[in-house]
Amino acid sequence: MTSTAPGDEPSAGPPGVLSLTGHPVRWQLLSELARSDRQVRELTALAGVRQSLASYHLGQLRQAGLVTMRRSSADRRDTYYSLDLAVCRERLAEAGTALHPGLRLVPAEPAASVSGSGRRKARRPPVRVLFLCTGNSARSQMAQAILEQQAGSRVEAASAGSHPKPLHPEAVRVMRERGTDIGGRRSKHLDEFSEQRFDHVISLCDRVRERCPDFPGPPTVAHWSIPDPAAAVTAEEPSHQAFVRTADELHTRIQFLLHAIERAPTRSERV
């Protein structure tokens, strides 16, 4: 005799996200995109497959909403693929729930400061993170402020640009609306940090990524292909809304970055 839990019906089959992500090539593509936004030729080399096959699997992931695509601001002939971690988390959570309500994934908080025995863990040195863009006038300044706001003393954040220019007033306005005043900060050239050691260096601009110098360490390097909000303004989307959208994307990405930071050894611990 077969029994089911009250109110439950036998499942017709596994959720589509499991078969979609369980394919070896698609899983490898997702794993690479979880670390950094990538161009298709990079993904082809990393996965060790033909470009046509990588493009096919990326198309499947895009159709499912797990992966997004943006034209490069450095070269419109290039394309950057990004993993939508928030969508992945929700789809995988739904897959767990489909098997049993008790298996719904709950987003973990960044690692607690207290161990299972109740004793405080040894204090780790702050993780150093550098954000880079072209002007250090909006994206990288906003990313620095958001990371500082979310991480507190656990992280030491900085930002710089390849061609610094004054802070954009809309970047200041959006961050002030989020409880952080960056109006007194100055824009900095990336050369100011070229001899410093960081745990993570994250480029936010496609142009900067292609010109990013090597930093000592070496740090963990990632790229987030985020359009310049000052250049993304259209008649349908006012300037302020473009900056709000950029801040929202940075906030989501930084939330996931903090989980990665908590799990990884710091630069001083790797030495």
Side-chain angles (χ1 to χ4, degrees):
M1 179 178 177
T2 301
S3 63
T4 59
D8 289 345
E9 295 295 335
S11 174
V17 70
L18 296 183
S19 57
L20 180 72
T21 60
H23 188 283
V25 173
R26 289 195 284 267
W27 183 258
Q28 186 169 2
L29 293 172
L30 290 170
S31 299
E32 295 298 341
L33 290 174
R35 301 183 183 97
S36 175
D37 296 359
R38 297 284 189 185
Q39 297 171 336
V40 67
R41 62 174 177 268
E42 295 175 313
L43 292 168
T44 297
L46 290 166
V49 298
R50 301 186 309 275
Q51 182 166 330
S52 59
L53 186 59
S55 296
Y56 167 78
H57 287 296
L58 287 167
Q60 296 289 301
L61 295 169
R62 285 186 62 211
Q63 187 174 3
L66 302 181
V67 167
T68 60
M69 180 182 74
R70 284 174 174 157
R71 289 289 178 186
S72 168
S73 60
D75 186 338
R76 300 294 294 177
R77 295 170 296 180
D78 287 334
T79 299
Y80 277 99
Y81 288 87
S82 305
L83 176 61
D84 192 325
L85 286 164
V87 170
C88 284
R89 178 173 61 190
E90 185 58 31
R91 297 287 174 80
L92 292 172
E94 292 170 353
T97 305
L99 185 60
H100 189 284
L103 294 178
R104 178 173 176 83
L105 300 179
V106 178
E109 293 295 331
S113 60
V114 180
S115 67
S117 63
R119 294 176 300 176
R120 295 189 66 84
K121 293 181 180 179
R123 184 174 178 82
R124 300 173 69 187
V127 175
R128 302 198 73 212
V129 180
L130 175 64
F131 293 104
L132 301 175
C133 67
T134 302
N136 192 214
S137 60
R139 287 166 290 182
S140 55
Q141 292 275 6
M142 293 162 72
Q144 176 186 349
I146 292 169
L147 180 56
E148 290 170 342
Q149 188 179 55
Q150 292 193 40
S153 61
R154 292 177 298 162
V155 172
E156 183 180 309
S159 65
S162 58
H163 297 80
K165 55 185 179 181
L167 265 65
H168 196 289
E170 286 294 350
V172 176
R173 176 186 172 190
V174 166
M175 291 312 304
R176 187 174 291 130
E177 291 171 349
R178 292 168 181 251
T180 300
D181 188 357
I182 64 172
R185 301 190 182 190
R186 67 181 180 88
S187 298
K188 302 166 291 296
H189 194 281
L190 57 83
D191 285 350
E192 290 190 33
F193 301 97
S194 61
E195 301 302 321
Q196 296 188 30
R197 293 178 180 270
F198 291 90
D199 296 288
H200 299 266
V201 173
I202 301 173
S203 55
L204 307 176
C205 169
D206 301 334
R207 292 186 179 88
V208 166
R209 188 208 182 192
E210 297 182 0
R211 297 171 175 80
C212 185
D214 293 329
F215 287 84
T220 297
V221 177
H223 178 58
W224 298 349
S225 182
I226 299 179
D228 180 2
V233 176
T234 65
E236 294 76 25
E237 182 176 52
S239 177
H240 182 64
Q241 189 57 41
F243 280 82
V244 169
R245 180 163 45 84
T246 297
D248 287 342
E249 180 172 354
L250 287 169
H251 185 274
T252 299
R253 287 192 184 241
I254 286 170
Q255 284 184 316
F256 284 99
L257 171 65
L258 282 172
H259 289 288
I261 284 175
E262 292 289 358
R263 292 177 60 88
T266 63
R267 172 183 46 78
S268 59
E269 291 169 335
R270 294 195 301 264
V271 175

